[in-house]
Amino acid sequence: MRRPLVAGNWKMNGLRASINALMDGVITGSSGLGSTDIAVCPPFVYLAQVHSQLATSQVALGAQNVSHESPGAFTGEISADMLKDQGCAYVVVGHSERRSLYGESDDLVARKYAVVQKAGMIPILCVGELLEERESNQTEAVVARQLDAVVNMCGIASFAHAVIAYEPVWAIGTGRTATPQQAQDVHAFIRTRLRDLDAKIADGVRILYGGSVKASNAAEIFAKPDVDGGLIGGASLKAEEFLAICKAAAA
Ligand code: 13P
């Protein structure tokens, strides 16, 4: 049985005061949700603030990005060791906004995945197709390509210490959610592809759905057998809404 995980990806949102208030709400409301893993991924500059707020709560800390490089002369970059040092347990890699707005290639994403694991954290590997790719029936080919880049570089065994997030790009921030069946179909495709390499690892890896998940649609998406929780954008910025999604995963 896979334990559900709900992770909030705050993206480039929040300031010291609003983050303080958001975390107060999340920490208070999450105390009774022991059967779901919960994580929040603030912007880099607020990791320390959120980490100190988390203290003994069960909510884990994650980062939204990482440099693939080892420490050195890389102005403006943040290394995996630094994130570990700030208390991060998870790091999102390959988010579609990084892939499309910042030109991150499959190869670069795989390298980021590798450095996150090397530093002792869990990568949340995002995969997903563009609208035109779905409309031209390329969803499986795109997701397979993104997944294979990591399998080829890091090996199937690495997925014992990783989370996958399927995020169809057309559903991110658009209010247009994939139907539960559309999500399930791609999640099952991902798991089957991994199962061909190692059944035990495939059955254990958590595959989250992301893309316009809200309190009102979370339960029906999470009810699908291969959906093990969610990666939440906009709805993770409101404590009550985020907690309702966490509750839906626990049910
Ligand atoms: P929204 O939930 O705002 O659609 O964003 C999803 C996402 O990109 C999470 O990483």
PDB file of all heavy atoms in Angstrom, residues 27-64:
ATOM      1  N   ILE A  27       0.095  24.080   9.603  1.00  0.00           N
ATOM      2  CA  ILE A  27       0.615  23.274  10.720  1.00  0.00           C
ATOM      3  C   ILE A  27      -0.516  22.910  11.686  1.00  0.00           C
ATOM      4  O   ILE A  27      -0.659  21.755  12.088  1.00  0.00           O
ATOM      5  CB  ILE A  27       1.757  24.023  11.437  1.00  0.00           C
ATOM      6  CG1 ILE A  27       2.978  24.071  10.522  1.00  0.00           C
ATOM      7  CG2 ILE A  27       2.111  23.342  12.760  1.00  0.00           C
ATOM      8  CD1 ILE A  27       4.049  25.030  10.947  1.00  0.00           C
ATOM      9  N   THR A  28      -1.327  23.892  12.011  1.00  0.00           N
ATOM     10  CA  THR A  28      -2.424  23.628  12.950  1.00  0.00           C
ATOM     11  C   THR A  28      -3.378  22.585  12.369  1.00  0.00           C
ATOM     12  O   THR A  28      -3.755  21.622  13.022  1.00  0.00           O
ATOM     13  CB  THR A  28      -3.207  24.935  13.232  1.00  0.00           C
ATOM     14  OG1 THR A  28      -2.266  25.917  13.611  1.00  0.00           O
ATOM     15  CG2 THR A  28      -4.229  24.753  14.324  1.00  0.00           C
ATOM     16  N   GLY A  29      -3.746  22.768  11.127  1.00  0.00           N
ATOM     17  CA  GLY A  29      -4.756  21.898  10.526  1.00  0.00           C
ATOM     18  C   GLY A  29      -4.250  20.532  10.132  1.00  0.00           C
ATOM     19  O   GLY A  29      -5.043  19.623   9.879  1.00  0.00           O
ATOM     20  N   SER A  30      -2.947  20.354  10.041  1.00  0.00           N
ATOM     21  CA  SER A  30      -2.424  19.070   9.564  1.00  0.00           C
ATOM     22  C   SER A  30      -2.195  18.078  10.691  1.00  0.00           C
ATOM     23  O   SER A  30      -1.875  16.920  10.436  1.00  0.00           O
ATOM     24  CB  SER A  30      -1.114  19.287   8.808  1.00  0.00           C
ATOM     25  OG  SER A  30      -0.136  19.792   9.688  1.00  0.00           O
ATOM     26  N   SER A  31      -2.407  18.514  11.933  1.00  0.00           N
ATOM     27  CA  SER A  31      -2.012  17.641  13.050  1.00  0.00           C
ATOM     28  C   SER A  31      -2.806  16.337  13.093  1.00  0.00           C
ATOM     29  O   SER A  31      -2.298  15.325  13.518  1.00  0.00           O
ATOM     30  CB  SER A  31      -2.113  18.392  14.376  1.00  0.00           C
ATOM     31  OG  SER A  31      -3.430  18.844  14.541  1.00  0.00           O
ATOM     32  N   GLY A  32      -4.034  16.340  12.585  1.00  0.00           N
ATOM     33  CA  GLY A  32      -4.807  15.099  12.627  1.00  0.00           C
ATOM     34  C   GLY A  32      -4.740  14.267  11.356  1.00  0.00           C
ATOM     35  O   GLY A  32      -5.507  13.328  11.177  1.00  0.00           O
ATOM     36  N   LEU A  33      -3.831  14.616  10.463  1.00  0.00           N
ATOM     37  CA  LEU A  33      -3.801  13.955   9.144  1.00  0.00           C
ATOM     38  C   LEU A  33      -2.637  12.974   9.029  1.00  0.00           C
ATOM     39  O   LEU A  33      -1.913  12.952   8.039  1.00  0.00           O
ATOM     40  CB  LEU A  33      -3.692  15.025   8.045  1.00  0.00           C
ATOM     41  CG  LEU A  33      -4.904  15.938   7.895  1.00  0.00           C
ATOM     42  CD1 LEU A  33      -4.620  17.062   6.926  1.00  0.00           C
ATOM     43  CD2 LEU A  33      -6.102  15.131   7.412  1.00  0.00           C
ATOM     44  N   GLY A  34      -2.506  12.142  10.009  1.00  0.00           N
ATOM     45  CA  GLY A  34      -1.340  11.268  10.115  1.00  0.00           C
ATOM     46  C   GLY A  34      -1.169  10.261   8.993  1.00  0.00           C
ATOM     47  O   GLY A  34      -0.073   9.749   8.787  1.00  0.00           O
ATOM     48  N   SER A  35      -2.231   9.964   8.243  1.00  0.00           N
ATOM     49  CA  SER A  35      -2.085   8.911   7.223  1.00  0.00           C
ATOM     50  C   SER A  35      -1.655   9.457   5.862  1.00  0.00           C
ATOM     51  O   SER A  35      -1.518   8.701   4.902  1.00  0.00           O
ATOM     52  CB  SER A  35      -3.388   8.129   7.080  1.00  0.00           C
ATOM     53  OG  SER A  35      -4.421   9.002   6.696  1.00  0.00           O
ATOM     54  N   THR A  36      -1.434  10.764   5.785  1.00  0.00           N
ATOM     55  CA  THR A  36      -0.953  11.364   4.528  1.00  0.00           C
ATOM     56  C   THR A  36       0.364  12.078   4.782  1.00  0.00           C
ATOM     57  O   THR A  36       0.505  12.777   5.785  1.00  0.00           O
ATOM     58  CB  THR A  36      -1.963  12.425   4.020  1.00  0.00           C
ATOM     59  OG1 THR A  36      -3.222  11.795   3.849  1.00  0.00           O
ATOM     60  CG2 THR A  36      -1.538  13.024   2.699  1.00  0.00           C
ATOM     61  N   ASP A  37       1.315  11.897   3.877  1.00  0.00           N
ATOM     62  CA  ASP A  37       2.525  12.716   3.935  1.00  0.00           C
ATOM     63  C   ASP A  37       2.208  14.065   3.310  1.00  0.00           C
ATOM     64  O   ASP A  37       1.549  14.129   2.265  1.00  0.00           O
ATOM     65  CB  ASP A  37       3.664  12.042   3.158  1.00  0.00           C
ATOM     66  CG  ASP A  37       4.212  10.828   3.890  1.00  0.00           C
ATOM     67  OD1 ASP A  37       3.989  10.711   5.113  1.00  0.00           O
ATOM     68  OD2 ASP A  37       4.868   9.988   3.244  1.00  0.00           O
ATOM     69  N   ILE A  38       2.668  15.123   3.944  1.00  0.00           N
ATOM     70  CA  ILE A  38       2.411  16.481   3.463  1.00  0.00           C
ATOM     71  C   ILE A  38       3.748  17.203   3.334  1.00  0.00           C
ATOM     72  O   ILE A  38       4.622  17.068   4.202  1.00  0.00           O
ATOM     73  CB  ILE A  38       1.499  17.250   4.453  1.00  0.00           C
ATOM     74  CG1 ILE A  38       0.172  16.507   4.632  1.00  0.00           C
ATOM     75  CG2 ILE A  38       1.250  18.681   3.979  1.00  0.00           C
ATOM     76  CD1 ILE A  38      -0.715  17.074   5.740  1.00  0.00           C
ATOM     77  N   ALA A  39       3.889  17.948   2.249  1.00  0.00           N
ATOM     78  CA  ALA A  39       5.103  18.749   2.078  1.00  0.00           C
ATOM     79  C   ALA A  39       4.738  20.110   1.515  1.00  0.00           C
ATOM     80  O   ALA A  39       3.718  20.255   0.828  1.00  0.00           O
ATOM     81  CB  ALA A  39       6.076  18.053   1.130  1.00  0.00           C
ATOM     82  N   VAL A  40       5.554  21.102   1.828  1.00  0.00           N
ATOM     83  CA  VAL A  40       5.403  22.426   1.222  1.00  0.00           C
ATOM     84  C   VAL A  40       6.732  22.828   0.575  1.00  0.00           C
ATOM     85  O   VAL A  40       7.800  22.543   1.116  1.00  0.00           O
ATOM     86  CB  VAL A  40       4.965  23.507   2.249  1.00  0.00           C
ATOM     87  CG1 VAL A  40       3.538  23.267   2.715  1.00  0.00           C
ATOM     88  CG2 VAL A  40       5.906  23.570   3.451  1.00  0.00           C
ATOM     89  N   CYS A  41       6.637  23.461  -0.577  1.00  0.00           N
ATOM     90  CA  CYS A  41       7.830  23.853  -1.326  1.00  0.00           C
ATOM     91  C   CYS A  41       7.817  25.363  -1.531  1.00  0.00           C
ATOM     92  O   CYS A  41       7.281  25.881  -2.522  1.00  0.00           O
ATOM     93  CB  CYS A  41       7.856  23.148  -2.686  1.00  0.00           C
ATOM     94  SG  CYS A  41       7.741  21.345  -2.569  1.00  0.00           S
ATOM     95  N   PRO A  42       8.379  26.111  -0.579  1.00  0.00           N
ATOM     96  CA  PRO A  42       8.424  27.574  -0.685  1.00  0.00           C
ATOM     97  C   PRO A  42       9.542  28.010  -1.636  1.00  0.00           C
ATOM     98  O   PRO A  42      10.411  27.217  -1.981  1.00  0.00           O
ATOM     99  CB  PRO A  42       8.765  28.022   0.742  1.00  0.00           C
ATOM    100  CG  PRO A  42       8.901  26.791   1.567  1.00  0.00           C
ATOM    101  CD  PRO A  42       8.987  25.620   0.662  1.00  0.00           C
ATOM    102  N   PRO A  43       9.530  29.293  -2.011  1.00  0.00           N
ATOM    103  CA  PRO A  43      10.685  29.843  -2.737  1.00  0.00           C
ATOM    104  C   PRO A  43      11.948  29.700  -1.879  1.00  0.00           C
ATOM    105  O   PRO A  43      11.869  29.711  -0.645  1.00  0.00           O
ATOM    106  CB  PRO A  43      10.311  31.323  -2.912  1.00  0.00           C
ATOM    107  CG  PRO A  43       8.815  31.369  -2.778  1.00  0.00           C
ATOM    108  CD  PRO A  43       8.460  30.285  -1.815  1.00  0.00           C
ATOM    109  N   PHE A  44      13.100  29.588  -2.533  1.00  0.00           N
ATOM    110  CA  PHE A  44      14.372  29.362  -1.817  1.00  0.00           C
ATOM    111  C   PHE A  44      14.549  30.258  -0.596  1.00  0.00           C
ATOM    112  O   PHE A  44      14.944  29.798   0.467  1.00  0.00           O
ATOM    113  CB  PHE A  44      15.561  29.638  -2.750  1.00  0.00           C
ATOM    114  CG  PHE A  44      15.790  28.592  -3.804  1.00  0.00           C
ATOM    115  CD1 PHE A  44      16.156  28.974  -5.089  1.00  0.00           C
ATOM    116  CD2 PHE A  44      15.695  27.242  -3.526  1.00  0.00           C
ATOM    117  CE1 PHE A  44      16.402  28.028  -6.071  1.00  0.00           C
ATOM    118  CE2 PHE A  44      15.937  26.285  -4.500  1.00  0.00           C
ATOM    119  CZ  PHE A  44      16.294  26.685  -5.780  1.00  0.00           C
ATOM    120  N   VAL A  45      14.277  31.569  -0.798  1.00  0.00           N
ATOM    121  CA  VAL A  45      14.636  32.526   0.260  1.00  0.00           C
ATOM    122  C   VAL A  45      13.787  32.359   1.521  1.00  0.00           C
ATOM    123  O   VAL A  45      14.139  32.909   2.564  1.00  0.00           O
ATOM    124  CB  VAL A  45      14.558  33.993  -0.208  1.00  0.00           C
ATOM    125  CG1 VAL A  45      15.652  34.282  -1.218  1.00  0.00           C
ATOM    126  CG2 VAL A  45      13.184  34.329  -0.759  1.00  0.00           C
ATOM    127  N   TYR A  46      12.699  31.604   1.425  1.00  0.00           N
ATOM    128  CA  TYR A  46      11.854  31.387   2.608  1.00  0.00           C
ATOM    129  C   TYR A  46      12.000  29.991   3.197  1.00  0.00           C
ATOM    130  O   TYR A  46      11.277  29.634   4.120  1.00  0.00           O
ATOM    131  CB  TYR A  46      10.387  31.695   2.270  1.00  0.00           C
ATOM    132  CG  TYR A  46      10.191  33.153   1.915  1.00  0.00           C
ATOM    133  CD1 TYR A  46       9.848  33.527   0.629  1.00  0.00           C
ATOM    134  CD2 TYR A  46      10.400  34.143   2.866  1.00  0.00           C
ATOM    135  CE1 TYR A  46       9.703  34.868   0.296  1.00  0.00           C
ATOM    136  CE2 TYR A  46      10.266  35.483   2.536  1.00  0.00           C
ATOM    137  CZ  TYR A  46       9.912  35.835   1.251  1.00  0.00           C
ATOM    138  OH  TYR A  46       9.784  37.167   0.943  1.00  0.00           O
ATOM    139  N   LEU A  47      12.922  29.194   2.673  1.00  0.00           N
ATOM    140  CA  LEU A  47      13.087  27.831   3.199  1.00  0.00           C
ATOM    141  C   LEU A  47      13.408  27.849   4.691  1.00  0.00           C
ATOM    142  O   LEU A  47      12.829  27.098   5.476  1.00  0.00           O
ATOM    143  CB  LEU A  47      14.196  27.089   2.434  1.00  0.00           C
ATOM    144  CG  LEU A  47      13.838  26.612   1.020  1.00  0.00           C
ATOM    145  CD1 LEU A  47      15.091  26.107   0.310  1.00  0.00           C
ATOM    146  CD2 LEU A  47      12.772  25.526   1.054  1.00  0.00           C
ATOM    147  N   ALA A  48      14.330  28.708   5.091  1.00  0.00           N
ATOM    148  CA  ALA A  48      14.760  28.724   6.487  1.00  0.00           C
ATOM    149  C   ALA A  48      13.610  29.153   7.397  1.00  0.00           C
ATOM    150  O   ALA A  48      13.382  28.561   8.466  1.00  0.00           O
ATOM    151  CB  ALA A  48      15.963  29.643   6.665  1.00  0.00           C
ATOM    152  N   GLN A  49      12.869  30.170   6.959  1.00  0.00           N
ATOM    153  CA  GLN A  49      11.722  30.640   7.758  1.00  0.00           C
ATOM    154  C   GLN A  49      10.701  29.516   7.935  1.00  0.00           C
ATOM    155  O   GLN A  49      10.226  29.246   9.039  1.00  0.00           O
ATOM    156  CB  GLN A  49      11.058  31.837   7.056  1.00  0.00           C
ATOM    157  CG  GLN A  49       9.802  32.323   7.785  1.00  0.00           C
ATOM    158  CD  GLN A  49       9.024  33.394   7.013  1.00  0.00           C
ATOM    159  OE1 GLN A  49       9.607  34.160   6.245  1.00  0.00           O
ATOM    160  NE2 GLN A  49       7.726  33.442   7.206  1.00  0.00           N
ATOM    161  N   VAL A  50      10.377  28.847   6.835  1.00  0.00           N
ATOM    162  CA  VAL A  50       9.372  27.784   6.916  1.00  0.00           C
ATOM    163  C   VAL A  50       9.910  26.615   7.730  1.00  0.00           C
ATOM    164  O   VAL A  50       9.199  26.018   8.538  1.00  0.00           O
ATOM    165  CB  VAL A  50       8.932  27.345   5.494  1.00  0.00           C
ATOM    166  CG1 VAL A  50       8.042  26.122   5.560  1.00  0.00           C
ATOM    167  CG2 VAL A  50       8.217  28.489   4.791  1.00  0.00           C
ATOM    168  N   HIS A  51      11.181  26.322   7.554  1.00  0.00           N
ATOM    169  CA  HIS A  51      11.773  25.210   8.315  1.00  0.00           C
ATOM    170  C   HIS A  51      11.671  25.469   9.812  1.00  0.00           C
ATOM    171  O   HIS A  51      11.329  24.578  10.594  1.00  0.00           O
ATOM    172  CB  HIS A  51      13.234  25.012   7.906  1.00  0.00           C
ATOM    173  CG  HIS A  51      13.866  23.821   8.553  1.00  0.00           C
ATOM    174  ND1 HIS A  51      14.908  23.914   9.438  1.00  0.00           N
ATOM    175  CD2 HIS A  51      13.569  22.512   8.472  1.00  0.00           C
ATOM    176  CE1 HIS A  51      15.231  22.701   9.866  1.00  0.00           C
ATOM    177  NE2 HIS A  51      14.442  21.831   9.290  1.00  0.00           N
ATOM    178  N   SER A  52      11.930  26.696  10.222  1.00  0.00           N
ATOM    179  CA  SER A  52      11.867  26.964  11.668  1.00  0.00           C
ATOM    180  C   SER A  52      10.420  26.911  12.149  1.00  0.00           C
ATOM    181  O   SER A  52      10.153  26.495  13.273  1.00  0.00           O
ATOM    182  CB  SER A  52      12.546  28.278  12.015  1.00  0.00           C
ATOM    183  OG  SER A  52      11.788  29.344  11.526  1.00  0.00           O
ATOM    184  N   GLN A  53       9.481  27.283  11.282  1.00  0.00           N
ATOM    185  CA  GLN A  53       8.067  27.189  11.682  1.00  0.00           C
ATOM    186  C   GLN A  53       7.624  25.726  11.797  1.00  0.00           C
ATOM    187  O   GLN A  53       6.791  25.377  12.620  1.00  0.00           O
ATOM    188  CB  GLN A  53       7.179  27.896  10.655  1.00  0.00           C
ATOM    189  CG  GLN A  53       6.852  29.327  11.013  1.00  0.00           C
ATOM    190  CD  GLN A  53       5.898  29.938  10.006  1.00  0.00           C
ATOM    191  OE1 GLN A  53       6.290  30.241   8.877  1.00  0.00           O
ATOM    192  NE2 GLN A  53       4.656  30.112  10.389  1.00  0.00           N
ATOM    193  N   LEU A  54       8.166  24.876  10.928  1.00  0.00           N
ATOM    194  CA  LEU A  54       7.729  23.472  10.904  1.00  0.00           C
ATOM    195  C   LEU A  54       8.081  22.758  12.204  1.00  0.00           C
ATOM    196  O   LEU A  54       7.326  21.912  12.671  1.00  0.00           O
ATOM    197  CB  LEU A  54       8.371  22.727   9.730  1.00  0.00           C
ATOM    198  CG  LEU A  54       7.826  23.099   8.350  1.00  0.00           C
ATOM    199  CD1 LEU A  54       8.630  22.410   7.255  1.00  0.00           C
ATOM    200  CD2 LEU A  54       6.354  22.706   8.246  1.00  0.00           C
ATOM    201  N   ALA A  55       9.230  23.092  12.756  1.00  0.00           N
ATOM    202  CA  ALA A  55       9.693  22.508  14.026  1.00  0.00           C
ATOM    203  C   ALA A  55       9.335  21.035  14.120  1.00  0.00           C
ATOM    204  O   ALA A  55       9.862  20.226  13.362  1.00  0.00           O
ATOM    205  CB  ALA A  55       9.150  23.302  15.190  1.00  0.00           C
ATOM    206  N   THR A  56       8.430  20.677  15.022  1.00  0.00           N
ATOM    207  CA  THR A  56       8.134  19.250  15.227  1.00  0.00           C
ATOM    208  C   THR A  56       6.904  18.800  14.442  1.00  0.00           C
ATOM    209  O   THR A  56       6.433  17.685  14.636  1.00  0.00           O
ATOM    210  CB  THR A  56       7.881  18.963  16.719  1.00  0.00           C
ATOM    211  OG1 THR A  56       6.797  19.795  17.132  1.00  0.00           O
ATOM    212  CG2 THR A  56       9.097  19.239  17.560  1.00  0.00           C
ATOM    213  N   SER A  57       6.372  19.633  13.558  1.00  0.00           N
ATOM    214  CA  SER A  57       5.168  19.213  12.826  1.00  0.00           C
ATOM    215  C   SER A  57       5.526  18.097  11.850  1.00  0.00           C
ATOM    216  O   SER A  57       6.689  17.869  11.520  1.00  0.00           O
ATOM    217  CB  SER A  57       4.560  20.404  12.077  1.00  0.00           C
ATOM    218  OG  SER A  57       4.933  20.386  10.731  1.00  0.00           O
ATOM    219  N   GLN A  58       4.506  17.399  11.371  1.00  0.00           N
ATOM    220  CA  GLN A  58       4.758  16.286  10.436  1.00  0.00           C
ATOM    221  C   GLN A  58       4.907  16.771   8.994  1.00  0.00           C
ATOM    222  O   GLN A  58       5.146  15.975   8.087  1.00  0.00           O
ATOM    223  CB  GLN A  58       3.612  15.272  10.523  1.00  0.00           C
ATOM    224  CG  GLN A  58       2.238  15.875  10.272  1.00  0.00           C
ATOM    225  CD  GLN A  58       1.378  15.030   9.334  1.00  0.00           C
ATOM    226  OE1 GLN A  58       1.837  14.124   8.683  1.00  0.00           O
ATOM    227  NE2 GLN A  58       0.094  15.359   9.284  1.00  0.00           N
ATOM    228  N   VAL A  59       4.775  18.081   8.764  1.00  0.00           N
ATOM    229  CA  VAL A  59       4.875  18.610   7.402  1.00  0.00           C
ATOM    230  C   VAL A  59       6.351  18.691   7.000  1.00  0.00           C
ATOM    231  O   VAL A  59       7.188  19.180   7.760  1.00  0.00           O
ATOM    232  CB  VAL A  59       4.223  20.013   7.320  1.00  0.00           C
ATOM    233  CG1 VAL A  59       4.348  20.589   5.916  1.00  0.00           C
ATOM    234  CG2 VAL A  59       2.754  19.938   7.736  1.00  0.00           C
ATOM    235  N   ALA A  60       6.649  18.185   5.808  1.00  0.00           N
ATOM    236  CA  ALA A  60       8.036  18.160   5.337  1.00  0.00           C
ATOM    237  C   ALA A  60       8.307  19.374   4.452  1.00  0.00           C
ATOM    238  O   ALA A  60       7.390  19.992   3.910  1.00  0.00           O
ATOM    239  CB  ALA A  60       8.305  16.882   4.554  1.00  0.00           C
ATOM    240  N   LEU A  61       9.599  19.677   4.306  1.00  0.00           N
ATOM    241  CA  LEU A  61      10.023  20.830   3.516  1.00  0.00           C
ATOM    242  C   LEU A  61      10.558  20.365   2.165  1.00  0.00           C
ATOM    243  O   LEU A  61      11.278  19.362   2.081  1.00  0.00           O
ATOM    244  CB  LEU A  61      11.115  21.578   4.288  1.00  0.00           C
ATOM    245  CG  LEU A  61      11.570  22.921   3.741  1.00  0.00           C
ATOM    246  CD1 LEU A  61      10.431  23.943   3.776  1.00  0.00           C
ATOM    247  CD2 LEU A  61      12.764  23.442   4.538  1.00  0.00           C
ATOM    248  N   GLY A  62      10.206  21.101   1.118  1.00  0.00           N
ATOM    249  CA  GLY A  62      10.741  20.791  -0.207  1.00  0.00           C
ATOM    250  C   GLY A  62      11.179  22.064  -0.899  1.00  0.00           C
ATOM    251  O   GLY A  62      10.760  23.167  -0.532  1.00  0.00           O
ATOM    252  N   ALA A  63      12.022  21.920  -1.914  1.00  0.00           N
ATOM    253  CA  ALA A  63      12.434  23.060  -2.742  1.00  0.00           C
ATOM    254  C   ALA A  63      11.871  22.861  -4.147  1.00  0.00           C
ATOM    255  O   ALA A  63      11.479  21.764  -4.519  1.00  0.00           O
ATOM    256  CB  ALA A  63      13.958  23.160  -2.778  1.00  0.00           C
ATOM    257  N   GLN A  64      11.848  23.967  -4.888  1.00  0.00           N
ATOM    258  CA  GLN A  64      11.204  23.937  -6.212  1.00  0.00           C
ATOM    259  C   GLN A  64      12.172  23.677  -7.355  1.00  0.00           C
ATOM    260  O   GLN A  64      11.759  23.444  -8.485  1.00  0.00           O
ATOM    261  CB  GLN A  64      10.509  25.276  -6.472  1.00  0.00           C
ATOM    262  CG  GLN A  64       9.460  25.636  -5.452  1.00  0.00           C
ATOM    263  CD  GLN A  64       8.923  27.044  -5.651  1.00  0.00           C
ATOM    264  OE1 GLN A  64       9.091  27.652  -6.707  1.00  0.00           O
ATOM    265  NE2 GLN A  64       8.274  27.577  -4.635  1.00  0.00           N
TER     266      GLN A  64
END
